[in-house]
Amino acid sequence: MSVYENAQNFWEHFSSRQPEIEQALTSRDYPGLVRALEPVQESAMNLTGCGFFVEDAADQFEMTFDPGPNKTSQYLARYFTDLCPAEILKKWIVNPVLMPLSQKAVEAQVQIRDHVYTLMDFHVFYTVDQKAQTFQTRVYCPGYSLIDNEENKKEMSMYLLELAIGQTLYEAYIGSVDFVNEPPKEAVDFCGLVDFYEAIMTVVERDHWKTYKSPLEIYSVYQPFQDFAHDSLRKDMKIIFTTHPLLAEETLGSGSDVLLDLKAKEGEYGYIYYANPFNGKDDALLRQELSRQLDKTMSELHAGQVVGGAMGKSYSYIDWIVYDRTKFLKAFEQLRRKLDDKVELHYQPFGITGQDQGTQVTQVPEEDNSAKE
């Protein structure tokens, strides 16, 4: 099996339940909806690690994969939505991440002692960090003073903030989340939690911040700490750029959780590498162009997608999530032969040797946009 086959099977399963789900939504038969949706939700969780819910939008039905912050699940959700059949898309909006103020957010309730609070009862106090292009936030609810456990209040604040503004804005612009038991006495910007999405976008548009359509567009840039210059594979890296920070950290260390998570879902993380031909800045330009070319081809084949890469002293790297290993390797062999006069490409799955272990890493404060894909 492969992630590609899993996606095909998921949509076949959804199609078999589609009439029942649509009828339950239209008639507002919520017990019937729960029965019809439960096996689809179970399938979505098993195959992608995502929560899954549906709602009745104004003129179309709407479904949402809810991956949370798990980057592997975010990539799988994006892949599944890309493979959604056209017949389903005629009647359904399909979201690969949690959207702002979804029905799930509107219906969210928190019970504190004998009182039930909705999103309308929460406010957010915030300051804007223009240099980092982020918001530092503190969430307030009248019932917080009745909760003794501070960790519970912080987790509740993070969860409700994500529901209010959606996963993309949460990852892109929220620098910190805390709570307050009482409104702060100092002068600070604030608004209702249900209005915070608009408040964020006002600042983003007014001050021309970088915008994102997906959390998978957000890159982190790292410089490995090394005691001396290495020439060997994955130990010569001078700068790393990735949409999957945990994958980068894990493949530089001794962990395997990220790799095993994707493997359990029939996928694979790996990297294409080649010897640097120029020993100068032209190596970065070549890596960037190759990454674009290869990503375009593999994405069109639904075989894989670039998740980042690195520049090394001796080698350049393009990191991948592989959705269909057979398709990927077949296409890679054709591309390798086609590019043989320019570079000699090699592919290696992460985790099959110890070559990529034992290097510490630190995040670079300012991103080098020229290094990104």
Side-chain angles (χ1 to χ4, degrees):
M1 294 288 285
S2 65
V3 177
Y4 177 79
E5 291 170 307
N6 286 343
Q8 298 291 324
N9 291 338
F10 174 82
W11 290 119
E12 288 179 12
H13 188 191
F14 180 85
S15 295
S16 70
R17 296 273 178 170
Q18 185 177 350
E20 189 178 355
I21 292 170
E22 291 174 354
Q23 176 59 35
L25 279 170
T26 302
S27 62
R28 302 191 183 280
D29 176 11
Y30 296 115
L33 180 62
V34 170
R35 289 192 299 271
L37 201 57
E38 186 174 8
V40 180
Q41 291 174 320
E42 183 178 352
S43 177
M45 178 58 69
N46 290 338
L47 298 178
T48 68
C50 296
F52 182 84
F53 63 92
V54 300
E55 50 194 303
D56 191 0
D59 54 356
Q60 279 184 292
F61 302 111
E62 189 166 355
M63 72 176 81
T64 299
F65 290 85
D66 186 3
N70 185 304
K71 289 297 174 183
T72 296
S73 293
Q74 288 180 8
Y75 268 106
L76 294 176
R78 174 79 269 174
Y79 184 72
F80 273 47
T81 57
D82 286 344
L83 288 175
C84 182
E87 286 301 310
I88 294 176
L89 291 173
K90 288 178 181 178
K91 301 177 72 174
W92 286 82
I93 298 168
V94 184
N95 302 313
V97 292
L98 183 66
M99 304 301 286
L101 290 176
S102 64
Q103 185 173 327
K104 181 179 180 180
V106 173
E107 295 176 352
Q109 294 184 341
V110 175
Q111 183 163 350
I112 302 174
R113 300 284 177 88
D114 297 327
H115 195 84
V116 174
Y117 298 90
T118 70
L119 227 58
M120 295 290 293
D121 297 306
F122 287 79
H123 287 74
V124 57
F125 296 84
Y126 61 90
T127 57
V128 180
D129 184 337
Q130 287 288 352
K131 184 177 180 181
Q133 296 191 353
T134 58
F135 288 73
Q136 315 305 317
T137 65
R138 292 176 289 173
V139 176
Y140 166 71
C141 170
Y144 271 0
S145 60
L146 302 175
I147 302 175
D148 295 328
N149 189 312
E150 295 191 352
E151 191 62 33
N152 286 352
K153 286 185 279 192
K154 185 166 184 176
E155 290 179 359
M156 187 185 302
S157 298
M158 294 169 68
Y159 174 70
L160 294 174
L161 183 59
E162 181 188 338
L163 281 181
I165 67 175
Q167 190 67 41
T168 300
L169 262 65
Y170 187 87
E171 290 194 25
Y173 303 124
I174 301 304
S176 66
V177 183
D178 209 338
F179 67 90
V180 287
N181 292 324
E182 297 180 358
K185 293 181 172 59
E186 73 272 16
V188 62
D189 290 325
F190 73 96
C191 64
L193 196 51
V194 293
D195 301 315
F196 192 38
Y197 173 86
E198 292 296 334
I200 292 174
M201 292 310 300
T202 296
V203 173
V204 169
E205 293 168 4
R206 182 194 67 201
D207 298 335
H208 308 290
W209 287 9
K210 183 172 177 60
T211 57
Y212 306 90
K213 294 180 180 178
S214 162
L216 298 175
E217 295 177 357
I218 303 170
Y219 272 81
S220 298
V221 181
Y222 298 87
Q223 286 180 333
F225 280 133
Q226 308 215 48
D227 295 331
F228 55 90
H230 290 275
D231 291 319
S232 58
L233 197 63
R234 297 301 289 197
K235 290 187 177 181
D236 69 329
M237 295 183 295
K238 298 181 290 186
I239 189 165
I240 304 166
F241 24 93
T242 182
T243 58
H244 200 326
L246 283 180
L247 174 66
E249 293 171 10
E250 182 172 287
T251 54
L252 288 166
S254 57
S256 59
D257 291 346
V258 172
L259 302 179
L260 292 174
D261 182 26
L262 180 58
K263 183 178 180 180
K265 297 175 177 63
E266 313 290 349
E268 175 178 285
Y269 284 115
Y271 57 94
I272 288 173
Y273 69 95
Y274 58 90
N276 293 326
F278 302 118
N279 296 316
K281 68 178 183 179
D282 288 342
D283 287 321
L285 296 175
L286 174 62
R287 200 220 67 85
Q288 191 173 16
E289 182 56 32
L290 281 174
S291 179
R292 288 197 186 100
Q293 290 179 13
L294 297 174
D295 188 46
K296 183 175 185 296
T297 298
M298 294 298 186
S299 294
E300 288 174 350
L301 294 171
H302 305 297
Q305 187 174 351
V306 171
V307 300
M311 292 298 305
K313 178 183 176 184
S314 303
Y315 299 96
S316 290
Y317 307 92
I318 304 169
D319 297 343
W320 294 84
I321 181 171
V322 177
Y323 300 120
D324 189 309
R325 180 177 170 82
T326 301
K327 284 184 180 182
F328 183 90
L329 293 179
K330 182 178 180 180
F332 171 72
E333 184 60 28
Q334 294 172 345
L335 291 165
R336 189 186 66 79
R337 289 197 298 265
K338 182 179 178 181
L339 296 168
D340 193 49
D341 60 335
K342 187 180 295 186
V343 288
E344 183 179 347
L345 300 177
H346 307 272
Y347 173 73
Q348 174 86 6
F350 280 118
I352 71 167
T353 73
Q355 291 176 314
D356 48 350
Q357 310 219 345
T359 307
Q360 291 180 307
V361 67
T362 184
Q363 188 164 5
V364 178
E366 297 294 331
E367 294 190 1
D368 179 2
N369 292 324
S370 66
K372 293 184 181 181
E373 306 308 312

